Amino acid sequence: DAEETADYTARVTEAQSFYGLGSVLKHFPGYGNNKDTHTGVAVDERSMEKFLEQDFLPFQAGIAVEETVWPSGELRRLRPAVLVSHNIVNCMDPNLPASLSPEVHRILREDLGFDGVVLTDDLAMGAVREYAQEGSVAVMALRAGNDMVVTPDFEKQIPLVLAALEDGTLDEETIAQKKATADDLLAQLRAAEDPVNLFDQLMHEYSEDTGLAANPEGYTTSKGQMVAPFEEAALALKDGEISDIVESDFGYHIILR
């Protein structure tokens, strides 16, 4: 029952947000009764009407969850992320798995209005292996519109992503958009009367850090545990200070110590 599932999705997403837990809605655009994509390609032959009437409803319900008053009395919203499946959905893109399809990501962003973090299913699964060009499945996933990739093959994939940035395979415009967002957030913080409280709100709304759900109040780390640019910037701050924008291999960061 799509409507009952949608209601359940909204309730769970809101409840988890209340207790400081992030949610991931999956597997977009809907899995149906397709076969296991861990071992091979799965093709979904259903019509677009079926997705509009059934599969999209739980995603739309989760996406629409508004701000929640936390037990502390603070008004927060932990925006859910969306994980995209490896199914080939013929009515959307008959040529590529959903996780590698720009058109599927366009539907999620434009038609469903989702502006949060989009991530792939595990890129080591059999359903996407044959689509990798010279092993660069993570590059394909990022070009399709994913913000994050899930893969145990990171030692191989990270150098390929960095090489794609250098040779122009990955669109610099996407990186520029991320930087512009970071610049805007920093400007808001600099102008705020209570930047510490605003930082907390913005962190829960915009952060793409998968560890945030387990560390909703931030991280406590020892020297040598974080990537060098992040650690150096954090150590240079005094308690209560907010950094300028820090760039690392993981993206752009604004740090509150």
Side-chain angles (χ1 to χ4, degrees):
D1 186 303
E3 293 186 358
E4 185 174 344
T5 303
D7 180 65
Y8 179 81
T9 300
R11 290 173 183 268
V12 170
T13 302
E14 185 173 6
Q16 293 199 156
S17 178
F18 180 82
Y19 288 105
L21 300 173
S23 301
V24 178
L25 311 175
K26 66 175 193 173
H27 301 69
F28 187 82
Y31 209 94
N33 61 352
N34 292 284
K35 72 176 187 179
D36 187 357
T37 51
H38 285 84
T39 56
V41 176
V43 179
D44 195 324
E45 303 281 4
R46 291 176 297 161
S47 68
M48 191 65 177
E49 286 72 23
K50 283 290 185 184
F51 284 92
L52 292 170
E53 295 170 358
Q54 298 180 0
D55 295 67
F56 284 177
L57 298 187
F59 291 100
Q60 290 170 312
I63 291 168
V65 170
E66 298 296 334
E67 294 173 319
T68 302
V69 179
W70 281 27
S72 63
E74 297 173 85
L75 187 65
R76 293 184 178 177
R77 178 190 175 197
L78 281 180
R79 179 181 299 172
V82 172
L83 183 147
V84 185
S85 80
H86 294 325
N87 290 348
I88 294 177
V89 185
N90 276 346
C91 66
M92 301 180 196
D93 185 342
N95 299 313
L96 289 170
S99 56
L100 305 180
S101 168
E103 175 59 15
V104 171
H105 288 77
R106 185 201 64 76
I107 291 170
L108 174 59
R109 293 294 193 191
E110 296 182 11
D111 296 354
L112 272 67
F114 181 65
D115 59 358
V117 175
V118 181
L119 62 153
T120 68
D121 206 342
D122 185 354
L123 294 177
M125 291 163 61
V128 295
R129 196 173 296 134
E130 66 183 74
Y131 292 89
Q133 300 169 0
E134 299 178 356
S136 58
V137 66
V139 174
M140 292 183 67
L142 292 169
R143 292 187 71 186
N146 293 285
D147 299 300
M148 299 175 62
V149 297
V150 177
T151 177
D153 192 24
F154 60 91
E155 292 181 341
K156 178 180 180 180
Q157 296 300 327
I158 289 176
L160 290 170
V161 170
L162 294 176
L165 289 170
E166 290 186 6
D167 67 20
T169 302
L170 278 178
D171 188 359
E172 291 288 344
E173 182 180 347
T174 301
I175 300 170
Q177 289 174 348
K178 298 286 187 182
K179 178 62 163 57
T181 299
D183 287 335
D184 178 64
L185 297 179
L186 184 60
Q188 292 183 50
L189 290 165
R190 296 291 189 225
E193 292 184 5
D194 186 354
V196 174
N197 183 56
L198 179 60
F199 182 95
D200 208 33
Q201 295 178 37
L202 295 176
M203 176 178 68
H204 287 284
E205 184 172 355
Y206 286 95
S207 176
E208 297 177 0
D209 183 359
T210 54
L212 180 61
N215 301 275
E217 302 303 323
Y219 292 93
T220 300
T221 65
S222 300
K223 191 172 182 179
Q225 289 185 312
M226 308 299 285
V227 293
F230 189 99
E231 182 173 283
E232 290 169 6
L235 292 174
L237 296 172
K238 298 177 181 177
D239 288 348
E241 280 190 332
I242 294 174
S243 72
D244 291 328
I245 293 170
V246 179
E247 183 177 358
S248 77
D249 287 345
F250 294 93
Y252 297 104
H253 317 273
I254 301 172
I255 306 167
L256 165 66
R257 180 166 180 174

